[in-house]
């Protein structure tokens, strides 16, 4: 094999690895949403037709990362029948004097319940803009799929925790960085 062929193979290998590293996060996220792996919840198109007598206690957990906001569930938990559609409400308050651009990430614990916890409607699917001082009420419509009752891995799950974390979007970070740069420029000029 010539030196040129080895060099080309190395360059192609590095390019392939770089491309794979950029694709890894979206591919992993897609895999988790399709399979429910790692407690990832999937979005459903319609509620099930069957409701079982078995109930599950659904707990709601809220977190904020790097944002001037308050985020809370209006109820700590709800008891729903497996297959029944539940509705939970969450309040978000922007405690700053600037608009916030944020998105919520979510997961389910125990992880083995992830494939069966389905959302029909959720604020976590879209970027949210919350104005200064504004409080917004976000609904989440969900159900626990009846198939969970027959899955040997998930059978016996009696409590599920749905956890949300609001985090800043790139748009929010760019606005914060721009304001800091503007303040530094004003300070240097004064």
């Amino acid at each position: 094999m010539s030196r040129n062929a080895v060099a080309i193979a190395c360059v192609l290998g590095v390019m392939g690895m770089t491309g794979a590293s950029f694709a890894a996060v979206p591919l992993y996220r897609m895999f988790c949403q399709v399979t429910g792996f790692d407690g990832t919840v999937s979005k459903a198109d319609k509620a099930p037709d069957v409701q079982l007598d078995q109930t599950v206690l659904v707990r709601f957990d809220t977190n904020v990362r790097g944002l001037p906001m308050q985020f809370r569930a209006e109820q700590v938990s709800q008891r729903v029948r497996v297959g029944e559609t539940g509705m939970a409400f969450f309040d978000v308050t922007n405690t700053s004097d600037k608009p916030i651009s944020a998105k919520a990430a979510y997961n389910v614990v125990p992880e083995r319940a992830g494939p069966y916890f389905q959302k029909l409607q959720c604020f976590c699917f879209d970027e949210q803009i919350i104005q200064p001082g504004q409080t917004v009420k976000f609904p989440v419509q969900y159900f626990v799929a009846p198939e969970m009752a027959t899955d040997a891995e998930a059978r016996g799950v009696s409590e599920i925790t749905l956890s949300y974390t609001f985090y800043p979007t790139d748009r929010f970070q760019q606005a914060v960085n721009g304001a800091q740069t503007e303040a530094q420029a004003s300070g240097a000029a004064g």
Side-chain angles (χ1 to χ4, degrees):
M1 195 176 219
S2 73
R3 289 184 183 179
N4 288 341
V6 170
I8 289 171
C10 288
V11 168
L12 290 175
V14 168
M15 288 174 48
M17 287 186 276
T18 302
S21 68
F22 281 106
V25 171
L27 288 174
Y28 179 74
R29 185 178 302 131
M30 184 174 64
F31 169 77
C32 290
Q33 287 174 342
V34 168
T35 64
F37 182 75
D38 200 24
T40 301
V41 177
S42 58
K43 185 175 181 185
D45 294 325
K46 68 178 199 119
D49 298 327
V50 176
Q51 293 182 8
L52 305 180
D53 289 334
Q54 176 185 349
T55 64
V56 176
L57 182 67
V58 180
R59 296 183 185 279
F60 304 102
D61 176 53
T62 58
N63 305 282
V64 176
R65 187 178 70 196
L67 288 166
M69 67 179 348
Q70 294 174 344
F71 177 35
R72 71 173 191 84
E74 288 187 358
Q75 59 288 310
V76 175
S77 63
Q78 293 177 342
R79 184 161 295 280
V80 295
R81 290 174 46 200
V82 173
E84 174 186 13
T85 300
M87 179 76 82
F89 292 93
F90 296 80
D91 295 329
V92 176
T93 301
N94 178 346
T95 59
S96 75
D97 60 352
K98 305 262 188 279
I100 291 176
S101 173
K103 196 164 187 176
Y106 55 87
N107 70 335
V108 168
V109 177
E111 291 178 5
R112 65 185 191 252
Y116 304 106
F117 194 93
Q118 307 274 315
K119 294 182 188 175
L120 294 164
Q121 175 188 2
C122 183
F123 57 90
C124 57
F125 298 132
D126 302 308
E127 176 182 4
Q128 305 297 332
I129 307 292
I130 304 148
Q131 298 303 317
Q134 180 183 25
T135 297
V136 180
K137 183 184 303 271
F138 291 114
V140 174
Q141 189 175 25
Y142 67 93
F143 63 89
V144 177
E147 294 80 12
M148 185 175 86
T150 58
D151 182 344
E153 290 287 320
R155 198 173 341 185
V157 170
S158 60
E159 290 187 12
I160 296 174
T161 300
L162 176 61
S163 181
Y164 286 103
T165 301
F166 257 110
Y167 62 93
T169 63
D170 291 340
R171 186 185 326 203
F172 179 77
Q173 288 302 116
Q174 290 167 354
V176 167
N177 293 342
Q180 290 172 346
T181 303
E182 201 173 289
Q184 289 170 350
S186 296

